[in-house]
Amino acid sequence: MYLMRLDDASEYMDLKKWERMEKLLDNYNIKPIFGIIPNNKDIELLKYEKIDDFWLIMRKWKNKGWIPALHGFTHVFETDNAGINPVNNRSEFAGVSYECQCQKIKNGIEILKKNGIETKIFFAPAHTFDKNTLRALKDKSEIRIISDTIANDIYYKDEFYYIPQQSGECRELPFKTVTFCYHPNLMTEKDYIQLEKFLSKHKKKFAILNEKSLMKRKFSFGDMLLRKLYFARRRS
């Protein structure tokens, strides 16, 4: 099963690139998970023109079956801590105090709700978070699904469902559940062409994340080996 994830939707984004991605996914009836930054302060993203009807667009996407997620709060990296999913050595969350993380989660959820968006999914900027992030999510939200970590399939641990995210582009992978993570703001012409070729060939393998169908599968020995291999290759 393939899932599509789109990162960095905010009031400051390259709307033309996002609209091109929207049209492409609509052509193949693919409903992605899309991550919203509630209070974007990332200087790399603030360079885009502000979108006045941003929240109207977010509600439109949600109403057509796209799945919204809380993607951090400000998208500003505050530490060089890799946390429990060490994809990168920078984080908005990992290494930040529990109290501060609670405030980020609480304020982010409030902004989403104020604008008509509710979610039960979280993924952190740079994929990095720690145990205090999970604790804050439990205490300040109803979010119990994390789109991140390396595994062969969706698994359940410490009251959270983890949807594995293994690749930054579409490619054939042997795992039972694969999430492809795209950043539309950064996509090139070549990226769109390669993506469409893949979708035209593998569109039947893409699914819509259904919370009701999630199973409480334990993190397995095979998942552990896959995780160790993945991070060993990243370090090499």
Side-chain angles (χ1 to χ4, degrees):
M1 176 176 73
Y2 291 155
L3 297 171
M4 180 67 72
R5 170 181 140 180
L6 308 179
D7 283 33
D8 298 348
S10 83
E11 291 177 298
Y12 298 88
M13 64 183 186
D14 191 326
L15 186 56
K16 288 184 178 179
K17 288 187 176 182
W18 278 85
E19 288 177 338
R20 183 172 178 180
M21 175 64 90
E22 178 182 9
K23 183 178 180 180
L24 178 56
L25 297 183
D26 284 350
N27 285 342
Y28 293 95
N29 196 32
I30 292 172
K31 312 293 184 183
I33 305 166
F34 65 103
I36 303 173
I37 307 168
N39 185 34
N40 187 6
K41 300 295 183 183
D42 186 334
I43 60 173
E44 292 299 317
L45 296 173
L46 293 178
K47 67 183 180 182
Y48 299 112
E49 184 177 350
K50 186 175 182 180
I51 301 167
D52 292 331
D53 58 350
F54 171 73
W55 291 106
L56 180 63
I57 295 170
M58 297 301 98
R59 291 191 293 272
K60 181 192 75 170
W61 289 351
K62 181 182 178 183
N63 291 338
K64 68 197 259 179
W66 289 26
I67 304 168
L70 178 65
H71 184 37
F73 182 55
T74 64
H75 208 273
V76 174
F77 303 122
E78 300 182 18
T79 75
D80 57 2
N81 194 316
I84 58 179
N85 188 51
V87 175
N88 296 289
N89 292 318
R90 61 186 187 274
S91 188
E92 181 186 350
F93 288 86
V96 175
S97 72
Y98 163 74
E99 292 76 15
C100 183
Q101 293 199 51
C102 281
Q103 199 63 48
K104 288 174 179 284
I105 299 298
K106 179 176 180 293
N107 291 347
I109 292 292
E110 287 178 352
I111 291 173
L112 293 186
K113 285 185 175 180
K114 178 182 176 182
N115 290 283
I117 302 291
E118 294 193 13
T119 182
K120 294 185 179 179
I121 304 176
F122 173 84
F123 51 88
H127 309 274
T128 49
F129 58 97
D130 60 15
K131 291 182 179 180
N132 277 334
T133 314
L134 303 178
R135 184 180 165 199
L137 287 168
K138 285 182 184 179
D139 292 345
K140 298 299 178 180
S141 79
E142 296 182 0
I143 290 174
R144 297 295 182 270
I145 302 173
I146 307 293
S147 169
D148 255 321
T149 73
I150 304 302
N152 177 61
D153 196 6
I154 298 167
Y155 65 94
Y156 184 79
K157 183 179 180 181
D158 298 330
E159 301 179 48
F160 284 92
Y161 293 97
Y162 291 87
I163 315 296
Q165 195 280 294
Q166 307 98 327
S167 180
E169 62 181 3
C170 283
R171 54 198 176 104
E172 293 187 59
L173 291 171
F175 315 128
K176 188 169 183 180
T177 298
V178 179
T179 304
F180 302 116
C181 175
Y182 278 85
H183 295 72
N185 293 320
L186 304 177
M187 290 179 68
T188 65
E189 181 69 22
K190 181 180 178 181
D191 294 329
Y192 287 107
I193 293 171
Q194 290 179 337
L195 175 57
E196 181 153 26
K197 286 181 179 179
F198 187 89
L199 296 181
S200 65
K201 184 177 180 181
H202 300 284
K203 60 183 178 181
K204 292 183 179 180
K205 293 183 180 180
F206 280 85
I208 301 173
L209 182 63
N210 185 344
E211 181 185 353
K212 294 181 180 179
S213 66
L214 296 178
M215 304 293 289
K216 291 186 176 181
R217 186 185 77 90
K218 292 183 179 180
F219 188 76
S220 70
F221 180 73
D223 294 321
M224 182 180 66
L225 290 178
L226 176 62
R227 176 184 171 88
K228 287 184 176 181
L229 178 61
Y230 176 88
F231 288 113
R233 290 186 64 183
R234 285 187 67 88
R235 289 191 293 268
S236 62

